[in-house]
Amino acid sequence: MLTGKKILLIISGGIAAYKSLELIRALKKENAHVKCILTHGGSQFITPLSVAALTQEQVYTDLWSLKDETDMGHIRLSREADLIVIAPASANLMAQMAHGLAEDLASTTLLASNRPIMACPAMNPMMWAHQATQDNIETLKSRDLQIIMPDDGDMACGETGTGRMSEPENILKSIIEHFKENKPLAGQKAIVTSGPTYEAIDPVRFIGNRSSGKQGHAIADALAQAGASVTLITGPVAIADPEGVETIHVESAQEMLEACENKLKQNIDMAICAAAVADWRPKALKEHKLKKQDNQDTLTISFTKTPDILQTISNHGERPTLVVGFAAETQDLLAHAKAKREKKGCDWIVANNVGDKAVFGQNENHVHLITAENTQEWAQTTKREIARDLVGRIVEYFETIKK
Ligand code: CTP
């Protein structure tokens, strides 16, 4: 049953749009709440009236509708769903998504959304096979969109090949699978550090680093999805707080440490330190903006060490059962990372090479997982995938120690 689950169904242009009416009926039978966006293309095949009759909800069609934007702005529409399903997903809509275009209500809602998205492509076989479409599909997959692959067979256009939208009953199965409760870390508490820290020089300047927070935030998200109760302690980043995660925003290493130590009082089971903490902060914070002097060519600032958060947590009286650190290296990756694991006293180290801007700010990474027992190389993949694999290892670890 999908009782209480909120599904936003986007129906784009294609003859398969008639199957989306069947999908709405099946979703309603499962007790889901269904709201629909019907694109201009979609409304060439089915009418807003039939969609409204089946969903018993208003149907959204127009980005520029004053009434809809007052009642239910596209931003709210994009955020309140538990899952967005695009069926059929036309080649055009997928191209818009892949390239970040926001031209109508559907594409704008998708661009503004932070919800999981499932796309069910339907199109002519030549369009499906076209390199442009395949490239767009790869791009969307790398952003974690779930693609329900089209079927083979005779098409409405008279051609035969791959491109027929998957049957509504299969799409429904995938939707039910998506919501299946799989919460192996339920009841476990985690803290995750993420992003850079900024160490103030004067009221307007700081020293920081290039960390985007993508890896740490993805880990917090994956832990929450596995049922853990997660506190994310993050330095300044330009990405959104993950859903369902308590997020504490800090600036300096000292503030990050204090937030972590506060949380350690609550019997934390695991700490994942993915933040790129600044190792040094200016010795003295200038009360006023440093002014440059006429005869001055250089500036010397004295630095003092910041606290080592990972090391403090690893050796804390209230140490979590599992402590995982990261090692950001530009040379001798494994030797440095192994030495860091021992020196800091954490259980595992995720080692990554951060030379040549290959990691900071990027969506992919190539890591090694170093434990006391062994070192494993993981194939290069997205930071989200790495987060899920790491959480998989964490689940295994807690299952083993429970036995
Ligand atoms: N770390 C920390 N507090 C610090 C510095 C680092 O908690 N003041 C943590 C990071 O979050 C990471 C691990 O320690 O999990 C290793 O960080 P890294 O930057 O690779 O190494 P450093 O300890 O800073 O050592 P170095 O700069 O000499 O490589």
Side-chain angles (χ1 to χ4, degrees):
M1 278 307 228
L2 294 170
T3 309
K5 298 289 182 234
K6 297 190 202 109
I7 310 237
L8 175 66
L9 177 64
I10 297 180
I11 305 170
S12 64
I15 182 71
Y18 77 91
K19 289 191 195 172
S20 57
L21 296 178
E22 230 176 283
L23 180 62
I24 296 171
R25 284 174 59 138
L27 287 167
K28 294 291 285 182
K29 248 192 179 161
E30 294 286 332
N31 271 342
H33 291 295
V34 187
K35 283 195 169 132
C36 283
I37 293 179
L38 185 61
T39 67
H40 179 68
S43 67
Q44 306 303 307
F45 296 91
I46 56 174
T47 67
L49 192 63
S50 45
V51 176
L54 287 172
T55 57
Q56 296 177 325
E57 292 274 355
Q58 182 188 346
V59 179
Y60 300 89
T61 53
D62 185 7
L63 178 60
W64 307 112
S65 155
L66 258 187
K67 180 177 176 305
D68 293 353
E69 281 298 303
T70 324
D71 284 0
M72 154 71 71
H74 63 272
I75 299 290
R76 224 178 102 205
L77 201 53
S78 72
R79 303 284 162 82
E80 69 161 30
D82 295 311
L83 174 69
I84 300 180
V85 179
I86 316 170
S90 65
N92 184 43
L93 184 53
M94 289 190 298
Q96 287 179 332
M97 290 170 77
H99 297 282
L101 299 180
E103 294 177 323
D104 60 4
L105 181 60
S107 52
T108 305
T109 303
L110 287 163
L111 192 61
S113 181
N114 57 0
R115 313 306 299 145
I117 301 173
M118 184 183 282
C120 312
M123 67 198 73
N124 162 279
M126 293 289 266
M127 288 168 82
W128 172 254
H130 199 287
Q131 196 57 47
T133 305
Q134 290 306 312
D135 289 349
N136 290 336
I137 294 277
E138 279 315 305
T139 303
L140 296 177
K141 278 189 184 164
S142 76
R143 292 183 202 149
D144 270 347
L145 232 95
Q146 187 180 351
I147 307 282
I148 308 297
M149 296 307 259
D151 292 338
D152 295 342
D154 294 338
M155 308 287 294
C157 56
E159 291 181 22
T160 304
T162 307
R164 228 169 57 180
M165 187 172 88
S166 183
E167 291 303 318
E169 72 183 273
N170 282 335
I171 299 173
L172 179 69
K173 246 193 234 159
S174 303
I175 295 173
I176 291 174
E177 194 58 36
H178 171 87
F179 285 112
K180 264 214 182 120
E181 290 284 289
N182 182 18
K183 309 281 181 204
L185 294 179
Q188 307 262 49
K189 292 188 207 148
I191 54 181
V192 180
T193 70
S194 184
T197 64
Y198 286 179
E199 310 299 328
I201 296 171
D202 66 17
V204 295
R205 303 184 179 92
F206 61 84
I207 175 162
N209 60 65
R210 299 180 193 277
S211 170
S212 65
K214 282 181 183 168
Q215 186 66 80
H217 280 53
I219 292 169
D221 192 29
L223 285 169
Q225 291 196 21
S229 157
V230 186
T231 302
L232 172 67
I233 300 164
T234 176
V237 291
I239 55 177
D241 296 349
E243 285 291 314
V245 167
E246 177 196 21
T247 305
I248 300 176
H249 293 268
V250 296
E251 205 166 278
S252 64
Q254 184 59 34
E255 287 169 8
M256 189 173 271
L257 176 68
E258 283 166 19
C260 288
E261 288 199 293
N262 251 332
K263 273 284 149 189
L264 286 185
K265 294 177 192 148
Q266 297 175 12
N267 258 330
I268 300 299
D269 298 285
M270 66 201 88
I272 322 297
C273 293
V277 185
D279 293 326
W280 304 96
R281 67 174 167 77
K283 211 166 180 178
L285 169 63
K286 303 283 182 221
E287 191 185 345
H288 295 289
K289 186 180 171 215
L290 275 180
K291 302 296 284 178
K292 53 181 182 303
Q293 308 302 324
D294 285 344
N295 57 355
Q296 182 186 16
D297 289 330
T298 58
L299 171 69
T300 306
I301 300 176
S302 278
F303 288 93
T304 183
K305 251 191 187 160
T306 57
D308 192 308
I309 300 166
L310 176 62
Q311 193 157 353
T312 309
I313 295 177
S314 300
N315 296 284
H316 203 277
E318 289 163 295
R319 184 193 199 276
T321 312
L322 180 67
V323 182
V324 182
F326 271 69
E329 309 294 344
T330 57
Q331 58 179 347
D332 297 334
L333 175 69
L334 293 182
H336 280 143
K338 285 178 184 170
K340 251 176 213 174
R341 194 189 74 81
E342 300 211 342
K343 180 174 156 221
K344 302 205 182 203
C346 57
D347 301 294
W348 301 351
I349 281 272
V350 181
N352 56 173
N353 195 329
V354 294
D356 301 330
K357 296 190 192 162
V359 174
F360 283 136
Q362 303 301 311
N363 290 327
E364 292 204 347
N365 200 355
H366 173 199
V367 303
H368 288 74
L369 180 67
I370 300 171
T371 67
E373 292 77 36
N374 57 40
T375 298
Q376 263 184 8
E377 181 175 4
W378 292 0
Q380 162 127 2
T381 183
T382 62
K383 290 182 177 176
R384 286 189 164 277
E385 198 61 48
I386 290 171
R388 279 196 291 265
D389 288 347
L390 184 64
V391 170
R393 286 297 304 266
I394 292 173
V395 169
E396 274 172 30
Y397 172 82
F398 278 101
E399 277 167 1
T400 318
I401 61 168
K402 244 192 261 162
K403 283 179 190 159

